[in-house]
Amino acid sequence: MIEIKNLSLNVGNFKLQDISFVIEGYTVLLGPTGAGKSLLLDAISGLREIDSGEILSNGKSIVNTDITKRGIGILLQDGALFPHLNVMKNLEFPYRIRKQKPDYQIIKSYAKQFRIDKLFNRSIDTLSGGEKQRIALLRSIITNPRVLLLDEPLSAIDPSMRHGMQRFLKEMKRIVKIPVLHVTHDFEEAYYLADSIVVLNNGKIEQIGPPEKIFRQPDSLFVANFTDMENFLPLEGIDKNVGIIGKTNIYCDIDKGQKKLFTIRADEIIVSRKKFKSSARNFLNMKVKSIRDTGKAILIELINDDIKLKSTITKFSLESMNLKEGEMIFAVFKAKSLHELS
Amino acid sequence: MKRYRFSIILTLALIGLSFIALPIIGIIFGTPLASIKTAFFDREIINSIVLTITAGILSTAIGLLIGIPLAYLIVFKNFKGKKFIESIIDIPVMIPHTAAGIALLTIFGTRGYLGKFFSIFGVRFVGTMAGIVIGMMFVSITFLINSAKEGFRSIDKNYIKVAKSLGANEFGTFFHVIIPLSLKDIVSGTIMSWARAISEFGAIIILAYHPMVAPVLVYERFTTYGLSYSKPIVFLITIISLVFFLILRIVSSKMKDYNRH
């Protein structure tokens, strides 16, 4: 386990400020370009000195430990396999550089599980992006590092191969019991792989939590926007648990006189032609403004005089409801599905 | 119109090629066979060619030994005065080579600081092979350093990052990653450096007229006996250089360039 405590670092006009989190299991560091993700990775790996704070490995500080002795495995965007060495020589590199005899048993056993055992004699320029990444990953774990840092490992891979690599990384989690910090700006990738997500923006941590929490209960407007939250409702409390926007009343967690900004995922809003018995208290009569097939689901845009809402349904539901643009319909959602943004 | 434009380019290119090739062809075909045969048995000529090639190899080898670390420091380390140092490195290709000879004589001559220092170990530079090597090295090392710098600069820094994370210290990274990845540039710089070394005349004539390297012998034979006596040496050195460079270029072209895709 690696613990980062109050880490701060200035580089020119950019600052990493008071960063604290724990790398345990599979942690994903998520953030837009320029958030400071790679800089933070450099600081953890020892490529950059930090201004203040601590990096602890099993409770012991490694801030003053040289990068060569930190025991941190790094996997970069393109794998950075040495092009002058073939696959096996790349895998032998961590041993040879330490003047150790390569442990071929470990190499071969992992290689089989990583499905690269037929590539030992291949030169690097003959490999696919996915093969390169699997070999580079193996190279960085065979010496049993304390933590594995993956810097956007899938961004250089052909989109058609990316899902396969994501599945591979999930499998690797099971095979290799090394804590991982995976950096990405792709929320879907983070959601699929992470045990825990750390959202970084402009050098500061915005939120830490399990993927489901980040996805459904973002702490800030930034996280909500970054994770493509579809619906935002600025409400004013007119009674206990009743908010209003224009003339539309919405049941939510609010007190009279309070002003709050709520969000709700499109998949938590269902559409119905009729009112029905449900624990959901919000039934808003709205007009279907547009129906769009996104490929993954059907996105329905609903509108009334006061608000716009987006709901996603399946293609099957759309066909069985025979829904058309311009029709009036009920948007149904639970009061507790509305998440307050701080 | 396109054809016309291409004809202009082709004509200019042929003029350029002829400018370089004609004097060489002139030497190769304009030297009588009998005088070439005589040159083969002329001890002074053979000795001067062997000396030129040996001193060229020595100066390039020493140049590699001290030039590569210098290029490494310039590319990978940040320090004040880096631009100034880079300008100093470029000086040997800018100043007249006779001036370079005078400068070297000032330092490596019997009264120069380094001349005095090395004389403690019995090494003298005026009129010796050591002087020839120094003269050759001074005018050629810039090519080597600049090629190595170019090679080092084009290395993807991620390789270095990863090597360090895999346990390579600075020395290990240098020998196992940096050098192999920039080998093509280093070899290319070595060829250029050696070529420049064996063709040096100006600096050597001031520092070490004797023993005579081929360019000095050509000059001496030309000024003493005339053109026909200097041609066979020029013929031999041209043929030897051509063969050497052809081999080195073929070897270099077969090497992979890992840094430019």
Side-chain angles (χ1 to χ4, degrees):
Chain A
M1 183 186 84
I2 297 280
E3 191 179 359
I4 289 117
K5 269 181 154 176
N6 311 108
L7 183 149
S8 292
L9 168 61
N10 284 348
V11 177
N13 293 329
F14 188 82
K15 282 181 190 169
L16 278 177
Q17 293 171 69
D18 205 24
I19 306 288
S20 297
F21 66 97
V22 173
I23 308 171
E24 223 173 357
Y26 204 105
T27 306
V28 171
L29 183 61
L30 180 72
T33 307
K37 306 187 294 291
S38 293
L39 188 63
L40 180 56
L41 235 56
D42 282 356
I44 297 169
S45 62
L47 284 160
R48 271 184 194 276
E49 275 184 34
I50 60 172
D51 295 337
S52 61
E54 269 298 352
I55 303 168
L56 305 168
S57 171
N58 296 326
K60 282 183 189 165
S61 173
I62 55 167
V63 168
N64 296 319
T65 310
D66 185 67
I67 176 174
T68 57
K69 297 193 175 87
R70 266 192 200 198
I72 285 175
I74 300 176
L75 176 68
L76 301 170
Q77 285 180 11
D78 57 353
L81 288 171
F82 302 125
H84 60 292
L85 305 175
N86 69 10
V87 171
M88 184 49 107
K89 289 209 161 67
N90 262 283
L91 295 173
E92 288 169 351
F93 186 89
Y95 295 102
R96 300 240 183 259
I97 208 73
R98 292 181 166 100
K99 298 192 168 44
Q100 293 169 358
K101 217 176 147 217
D103 190 335
Y104 292 109
Q105 217 174 343
I106 286 187
I107 293 177
K108 283 178 184 167
S109 134
Y110 272 132
K112 202 163 189 181
Q113 296 181 78
F114 281 32
R115 297 186 297 278
I116 50 167
D117 50 329
K118 304 271 189 292
L119 307 173
F120 288 146
N121 295 317
R122 293 264 293 272
S123 71
I124 302 309
D125 54 5
T126 64
L127 302 168
S128 72
E131 286 169 340
K132 281 183 190 168
Q133 287 302 67
R134 278 181 283 156
I135 293 160
L137 195 59
L138 176 52
R139 184 182 61 178
S140 58
I141 63 167
I142 43 178
T143 50
N144 204 20
R146 291 174 173 138
V147 66
L148 197 55
L149 308 179
L150 315 181
D151 191 359
E152 310 222 8
L154 308 182
S155 62
I157 291 177
D158 194 71
S160 62
M161 308 287 283
R162 212 169 283 162
H163 283 122
M165 256 321 269
Q166 283 179 1
R167 277 199 300 278
F168 168 74
L169 286 175
K170 198 146 196 169
E171 202 184 315
M172 184 208 71
K173 246 167 83 169
R174 198 177 43 78
I175 303 169
V176 184
K177 307 284 182 208
I178 299 170
V180 173
L181 181 63
H182 175 132
V183 168
T184 183
H185 57 261
D186 183 338
F187 180 70
E188 260 185 59
E189 190 175 301
Y191 192 84
Y192 178 73
L193 289 165
D195 297 325
S196 168
I197 294 178
V198 178
V199 184
L200 192 71
N201 178 37
N202 205 18
K204 283 188 220 158
I205 289 181
E206 289 273 347
Q207 192 174 351
I208 301 174
E212 182 70 12
K213 191 164 190 313
I214 303 280
F215 185 64
R216 304 231 172 249
Q217 295 163 15
D219 278 353
S220 65
L221 190 59
F222 170 80
V223 179
N225 278 320
F226 190 69
T227 57
D228 279 335
M229 184 63 87
E230 299 90 348
N231 299 300
F232 294 88
L233 297 168
L235 298 175
E236 192 176 342
I238 51 168
D239 208 342
K240 180 141 182 77
N241 295 332
V242 182
I244 192 163
I245 176 166
K247 288 174 187 165
T248 306
N249 286 357
I250 291 173
Y251 292 98
C252 58
D253 181 17
I254 200 165
D255 284 327
K256 194 174 178 179
Q258 280 185 324
K259 283 184 178 175
K260 286 183 175 180
L261 178 62
F262 289 92
T263 62
I264 181 168
R265 284 271 164 209
D267 63 1
E268 292 187 275
I269 299 175
I270 56 173
V271 289
S272 170
R273 288 194 180 281
K274 292 177 197 161
K275 280 197 174 181
F276 56 92
K277 248 191 173 177
S278 163
S279 59
R281 296 172 72 193
N282 290 299
F283 280 78
L284 306 183
N285 198 14
M286 301 183 84
K287 190 163 100 178
V288 177
K289 191 188 170 206
S290 67
I291 299 171
R292 193 154 55 89
D293 190 345
T294 63
K296 291 176 188 168
I298 305 295
L299 183 73
I300 301 180
E301 216 179 337
L302 304 160
I303 192 163
N304 72 10
D305 289 342
D306 307 311
I307 53 171
K308 279 182 192 169
L309 287 176
K310 284 176 184 166
S311 163
T312 48
I313 60 170
T314 62
K315 202 163 189 170
F316 177 74
S317 301
L318 178 73
E319 282 164 6
S320 58
M321 285 175 78
N322 194 21
L323 207 59
K324 297 274 181 303
E325 287 177 4
E327 284 185 283
M328 293 306 287
I329 202 162
F330 286 104
V332 186
F333 53 93
K334 291 180 176 177
K336 68 174 183 187
S337 294
L338 285 166
H339 174 72
E340 182 195 337
L341 285 179
S342 51
Chain B
M1 191 66 182
K2 259 186 181 174
R3 239 185 126 91
Y4 169 71
R5 276 188 205 145
F6 181 72
S7 305
I8 295 175
I9 293 170
L10 189 66
T11 310
L12 291 172
L14 284 174
I15 293 171
L17 180 65
S18 309
F19 176 71
I20 300 166
L22 282 177
I24 296 165
I25 292 167
I27 277 293
I28 291 171
F29 294 101
T31 311
L33 206 62
S35 65
I36 297 169
K37 267 187 190 170
T38 318
F40 262 116
F41 297 101
D42 185 331
R43 235 186 148 69
E44 198 180 16
I45 293 178
I46 298 302
N47 282 348
S48 79
I49 290 172
V50 170
L51 175 67
T52 308
I53 292 169
T54 317
I57 291 171
L58 267 173
S59 83
T60 310
I62 300 169
L64 276 167
L65 195 70
I66 59 178
I68 301 280
L70 183 53
Y72 173 81
L73 288 179
I74 289 169
V75 174
F76 293 104
K77 302 288 170 189
N78 288 320
F79 53 89
K80 274 186 182 170
K82 200 196 258 193
K83 287 272 166 247
F84 180 65
I85 288 175
E86 285 190 271
S87 307
I88 289 176
I89 290 166
D90 286 333
I91 285 177
V93 292
M94 294 187 289
I95 59 166
H97 289 170
T98 41
I102 299 289
L104 287 171
L105 192 63
T106 313
I107 295 293
F108 288 98
T110 41
R111 289 179 196 168
Y113 291 116
L114 288 176
K116 276 184 193 164
F117 173 74
F118 280 102
S119 69
I120 300 169
F121 309 101
V123 181
R124 283 173 42 204
F125 297 96
V126 179
T128 65
M129 183 163 164
I132 295 168
V133 171
I134 290 291
M136 285 181 170
M137 207 167 86
F138 185 79
V139 297
S140 65
I141 197 167
T142 305
F143 295 98
L144 189 54
I145 295 169
N146 286 345
S147 282
K149 264 164 54 186
E150 203 179 310
F152 293 162
R153 281 200 176 118
S154 59
I155 293 175
D156 183 345
K157 300 291 175 284
N158 282 343
Y159 293 131
I160 295 164
K161 218 188 229 193
V162 164
K164 285 182 177 172
S165 79
L166 293 172
N169 57 23
E170 194 157 7
F171 228 62
T173 308
F174 178 72
F175 282 111
H176 294 280
V177 179
I178 294 171
I179 292 291
L181 288 180
S182 47
L183 202 57
K184 194 178 168 79
D185 287 287
I186 292 172
V187 168
S188 163
T190 306
I191 296 170
M192 288 297 295
S193 176
W194 186 72
R196 186 66 202 83
I198 62 165
S199 61
E200 179 51 20
F201 170 73
I204 292 173
I205 205 169
I206 289 177
L207 201 61
Y209 194 94
H210 289 283
M212 270 187 225
V213 288
V216 177
L217 187 63
V218 170
Y219 172 75
E220 174 157 291
R221 291 270 171 113
F222 176 70
T223 48
T224 316
Y225 305 109
L227 185 65
S228 58
Y229 282 85
S230 58
K231 266 169 133 183
I233 319 166
V234 178
F235 174 86
L236 287 179
I237 198 86
T238 306
I239 294 293
I240 290 167
S241 303
L242 206 65
V243 171
F244 255 101
F245 285 120
L246 208 61
I247 294 167
L248 289 171
R249 286 276 174 222
I250 290 167
V251 171
S252 155
S253 68
K254 285 207 178 350
M255 290 173 78
K256 273 194 178 174
D257 190 344
Y258 299 112
N259 306 318
R260 294 171 194 94
H261 303 289

